[in-house]
Amino acid sequence: MLRALGRLDECRAELRTARGYYETAGGGDLLSAQQIASLDADLPALTAVLAAARAAGDHEVELLALEAMTRIHTAAGDDAAAGARAAEAAKIRPLAAHLVTEADRDLA
């Protein structure tokens, strides 16, 4: 919600708090990792999240990571990479459609 309202600093702080909680509890939270990497336009972090999501079979995070990577590559003018990521996202979308809305994809 904070991200949708444009309150990005608050959004980052809340995501980092959630991430810290899960790490302290001995688990991971791929969704918060994806959201932080997306907010920061951090391609290396998104690449790591994508690999972890695929290994875990987490199609929601996989799709969101691919959407974020597509957006970042497009903004950088790397049409080939953007197209490749968009094609990957299109293949995953049916598997995560019940979890990821258009609004989620726009914010990825």
Side-chain angles (χ1 to χ4, degrees):
M1 181 56 86
L2 292 170
R3 185 171 184 176
L5 293 172
R7 295 164 51 184
L8 301 183
D9 290 337
E10 291 173 81
C11 181
R12 272 187 194 89
E14 291 297 327
L15 287 167
R16 290 188 197 290
T17 297
R19 185 133 175 81
Y21 169 80
Y22 286 106
E23 287 174 350
T24 300
D29 179 27
L30 287 175
L31 183 58
S32 66
Q34 182 278 322
Q35 292 293 300
I36 292 167
S38 178
L39 279 169
D40 294 341
D42 185 342
L43 280 173
L46 282 166
T47 300
V49 167
L50 178 61
R54 285 178 169 163
D58 188 331
H59 300 303
E60 175 185 13
V61 173
E62 183 179 1
L63 176 60
L64 292 171
L66 288 165
E67 296 282 353
M69 295 169 92
T70 299
R71 179 181 45 79
I72 293 165
H73 286 304
T74 298
D78 188 346
D79 295 335
R85 292 303 186 186
E88 290 177 71
K91 290 178 185 175
I92 296 302
R93 198 168 294 119
L95 300 174
H98 64 291
L99 298 169
V100 180
T101 67
E102 280 298 314
D104 294 329
R105 292 179 54 224
D106 290 342
L107 292 175

